[in-house]
């Protein structure tokens, strides 16, 4: 995973900006694309992997709504790209300096972010991971997230049932090495399909960073390696749509089963349109809303949220398979995001 040098931001400039009621970190020169909404009340920080992915856009919307309902001030920041640990570290430092009571974070690098989180917690800041667990999970006070292993397992079970005994030639279009959410979804898919990591039915594995263009390139590479691929697991729906584009260019879009995870509105519509066979839908708005409430509660009574809160996952498909619980795309579109 690539890294950019950490953007420089002097303590003097941070201090000069934190006196404002509505903190705007962008104006202070932060490289992490930060902003604030609301005024007064408990300060809550939200740091996402990026501010462009629809999943994190919806997460921010959920946090903003919850902050308004609970009389809190929300400060937000995001990495420049998925994997921008340096940007997230800077955002943590800025938010702690601004006096946040709690930080909600979707860690770009589950291990590298830990020292920065430890410093925040040492200063009495409640830290809650959203969507992506840290490594170790004890590096935060609590985790509000989809069970990503279960999300992968559901689409694995679905794909196995949909193949109806036909010999599978599987391509996995993954996230990036060592990122926990990607590892869990990948491992869950294999478990649900009933194969091991080194099973010969897994004929190609490529990283995509969850990007549509990179997903297309990865699929093209896999087809070159093994033209007979008939099952494609993807880390998310942008990667799935990239895979679909590559398959369509080869005239294979109708005879390859694509399964994915996320349940965004674009992805769910792709299921309805037959581009993706099934997806595991998760609920980022709920993660953020519950996180904000937990920070406000901590500010009021000093009680910290702890442990893991499962925010739910639902298999979405219009071609249900026997023995695999699922909802149709009408349900999925009513509950999608982005």
């Amino acid at each position: 995973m690539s890294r950019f040098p950490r953007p420089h931001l002097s303590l003097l400039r941070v201090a000069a900006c934190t006196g404002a009621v509505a903190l705007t970190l962008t104006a202070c020169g932060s490289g992490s694309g930060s902003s604030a909404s609301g005024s007064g009340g408990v300060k809550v920080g939200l740091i996402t992997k990026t501010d462009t992915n629809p999943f994190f856009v919806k997460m921010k919307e959920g946090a903003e709504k919850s902050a308004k309902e609970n009389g809190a001030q929300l400060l937000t920041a995001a990495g420049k790209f998925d994997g921008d640990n340096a940007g997230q570290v800077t955002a943590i430092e800025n938010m702690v300096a601004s006096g946040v009571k709690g930080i909600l974070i979707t860690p770009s690098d589950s291990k590298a972010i830990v020292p920065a989180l430890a410093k925040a917690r040492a200063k009495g800041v409640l830290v809650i991971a959203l969507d992506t667990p840290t490594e170790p999970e004890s590096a935060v006070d609590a985790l509000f997230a989809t069970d990503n292993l279960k999300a992968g397992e559901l689409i694995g079970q679905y794909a196995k049932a949909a193949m109806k005994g036909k010999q599978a030639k599987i391509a996995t279009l993954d996230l990036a090495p060592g990122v926990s959410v990607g590892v869990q979804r990948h491992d869950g898919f294999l478990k649900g399909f009933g194969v091991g990591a080194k099973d010969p039915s897994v004929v190609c594995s490529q990283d995509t960073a969850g990007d549509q263009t990179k997903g297309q390139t990865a699929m093209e590479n896999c087809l070159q390696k093994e033209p007979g691929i008939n099952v494609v697991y993807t880390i998310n729906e942008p990667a799935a749509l990239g895979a679909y584009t590559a398959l369509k260019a080869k005239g294979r879009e109708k005879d390859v089963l694509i399964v994915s995870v996320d349940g965004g509105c674009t992805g769910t519509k792709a299921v309805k349109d037959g581009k993706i066979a099934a997806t595991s839908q998760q609920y980022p708005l709920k993660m953020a809303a519950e996180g904000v409430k937990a920070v406000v509660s901590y500010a009021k009574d000093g009680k910290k949220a702890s442990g893991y809160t499962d925010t739910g996952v639902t298999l979405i498909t219009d071609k249900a398979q026997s023995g695999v619980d699922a909802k149709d795309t009408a349900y999925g579109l009513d509950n999608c995001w982005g």
Side-chain angles (χ1 to χ4, degrees):
M1 189 180 297
S2 61
R3 292 286 182 269
F4 285 176
R6 178 175 165 177
H8 175 70
L9 183 64
S10 71
L11 292 177
L12 179 62
R13 292 187 75 188
V14 173
C17 294
T18 55
V21 174
L23 178 64
T24 303
L25 298 178
T26 303
C28 303
S30 168
S32 53
S34 310
S35 61
S37 62
S39 62
V42 177
K43 287 184 179 180
V44 182
L46 171 68
I47 304 171
T48 53
K49 294 179 183 180
T50 73
D51 58 8
T52 55
N53 186 315
F55 184 87
F56 301 120
V57 171
K58 183 57 65 173
M59 183 175 281
K60 181 178 176 181
E61 288 177 9
E64 288 172 339
K65 182 179 179 182
S66 185
K68 185 176 181 180
E69 291 172 349
N70 289 279
Q73 180 185 357
L74 182 70
L75 284 66
T76 63
K80 292 179 179 178
F81 55 92
D82 196 332
D84 180 15
N85 182 68
Q88 289 196 324
V89 169
T90 298
I92 292 168
E93 293 172 348
N94 291 345
M95 287 181 176
V96 171
S98 78
V100 295
K101 196 66 178 177
I103 291 175
L104 315 174
I105 184 167
T106 59
S108 280
D109 189 316
S110 299
K111 294 180 180 178
I113 200 67
V114 168
L117 297 178
K119 290 178 182 179
R121 294 176 75 192
K123 293 185 178 182
V125 176
L126 176 70
V127 179
I128 298 174
L130 304 181
D131 179 57
T132 304
T134 52
E135 295 181 52
E137 287 189 21
S138 59
V140 294
D141 294 290
L143 168 66
F144 293 177
T146 304
D147 183 338
N148 281 296
L149 189 72
K150 181 180 178 182
E153 193 170 351
L154 280 171
I155 56 171
Q157 291 171 346
Y158 175 88
K160 181 69 172 180
M163 289 300 286
K164 303 186 184 304
K166 183 179 177 181
Q167 178 62 44
K169 291 185 178 181
I170 302 169
T172 70
L173 303 192
D174 300 304
L175 187 58
V179 181
S180 57
V181 63
V183 172
Q184 291 168 357
R185 292 181 185 184
H186 174 100
D187 291 352
F189 169 79
L190 295 181
K191 180 181 178 183
F193 202 90
V195 296
K198 296 183 179 180
D199 192 283
S201 62
V202 181
V203 297
C204 185
S205 294
Q206 295 265 311
D207 292 330
T208 68
D211 177 80
Q212 184 164 340
T213 300
K214 291 178 181 178
Q216 180 177 343
T217 300
M219 191 72 248
E220 289 167 351
N221 292 340
C222 283
L223 287 171
Q224 186 173 17
K225 179 181 179 181
E226 175 49 74
I229 287 168
N230 53 15
V231 177
V232 180
Y233 152 82
T234 64
I235 178 64
N236 65 4
E237 291 145 6
L241 289 171
Y244 176 84
T245 299
L247 288 163
K248 186 175 182 180
K250 296 289 187 180
R252 297 285 319 284
E253 76 276 15
K254 296 185 184 301
D255 56 67
V256 178
L257 183 79
I258 302 175
V259 293
S260 196
V261 179
D262 266 358
C265 294
T266 299
T268 304
K269 187 175 186 302
V271 175
K272 183 177 181 179
D273 293 343
K275 296 177 181 179
I276 302 172
T279 192
S280 285
Q281 186 171 73
Q282 51 183 338
Y283 305 101
L285 192 151
K286 183 177 180 181
M287 297 175 197
E290 293 299 315
V292 170
K293 286 193 287 185
V295 174
V296 173
S297 178
Y298 169 58
K300 289 180 178 178
D301 59 27
K303 185 177 180 181
K304 292 184 175 182
S306 62
Y308 168 56
T309 298
D310 184 353
T311 52
V313 62
T314 306
L315 184 74
I316 303 297
T317 183
D318 284 333
K319 297 179 180 179
Q321 299 296 321
S322 177
V324 186
D325 291 337
K327 300 283 189 180
D328 62 17
T329 55
Y331 176 92
L333 291 169
D334 282 344
N335 291 277
C336 66
W337 41 266

